[in-house]
Amino acid sequence: RPALKDNRLLYLLKELHHIDPEAFPFASAYLYRAFLEHSVVRQAEKRGHTRAANEKLHTTMLALYALLLADTGLVAKHGTALKNRLKPLQLAANQTNNHNNPEVLGAQVHGAVLPTRAGLVSCWDGLDFVWPLLCDGL
């Protein structure tokens, strides 16, 4: 569990940990989408990205991806492996069939796609390297 200072992220994460995605898949999908969006937006802003008024989440994800790739501390720590380790974030932003794509997650939240426990767990696990970076300093 990340050490979060942001109250919204703390509340979202707390509820995510306490909700049963088998019993409440739509609520789980909503909480997951909200946690992902809030952490991406906050981290991108923390790293200097200024969001446009109607900027879509996938655009913010790509901006954050570029900022993380350019982070000299991360480059020093991970070397050439950094680009591959961050690839799930880039794919989530670019691929409309990716389980972490904002449009796919939005379709789950709005009932167009039925979320499942297994699908939601794979969403979280797909960003296993990225989560600590998304939550860093928030």
Side-chain angles (χ1 to χ4, degrees):
R1 290 189 179 186
L4 297 167
K5 299 174 201 151
D6 182 294
N7 283 335
R8 287 188 182 116
L9 283 173
L10 280 169
Y11 290 134
L12 288 167
L13 188 60
K14 180 181 175 185
E15 286 194 35
L16 267 171
H17 279 284
H18 287 93
I19 195 167
D20 178 4
E22 191 75 49
F24 303 104
F26 287 106
S28 300
Y30 186 87
L31 287 169
Y32 177 78
R33 171 69 159 74
F35 186 80
L36 177 65
E37 181 169 5
H38 195 67
S39 59
V40 164
V41 168
R42 287 289 318 280
Q43 190 60 238
E45 289 172 346
K46 179 182 173 240
R47 292 176 175 271
H49 176 67
T50 303
R51 282 185 99 200
N54 293 318
E55 186 171 294
K56 300 281 189 182
L57 181 56
H58 73 276
T59 303
T60 308
M61 290 169 87
L62 288 173
L64 179 57
Y65 170 75
L67 290 166
L68 291 170
L69 276 179
D71 183 307
T72 55
L74 290 175
V75 171
K77 183 176 181 179
H78 300 284
T80 58
L82 181 62
K83 189 172 183 176
N84 286 337
R85 309 256 350 240
L86 291 173
K87 194 71 168 173
L89 181 62
Q90 181 196 32
L91 294 176
N94 283 330
Q95 294 180 334
T96 55
N97 63 345
N98 185 290
H99 54 266
N100 276 307
N101 182 274
E103 288 185 34
V104 172
L105 294 172
Q108 289 180 352
V109 167
H110 296 289
V113 175
L114 299 175
T116 63
R117 181 192 183 285
L120 292 167
V121 168
S122 73
C123 285
W124 186 271
D125 290 347
L127 294 177
D128 63 340
F129 175 78
V130 178
W131 282 119
L133 301 175
L134 289 179
C135 296
D136 183 44
L138 300 182

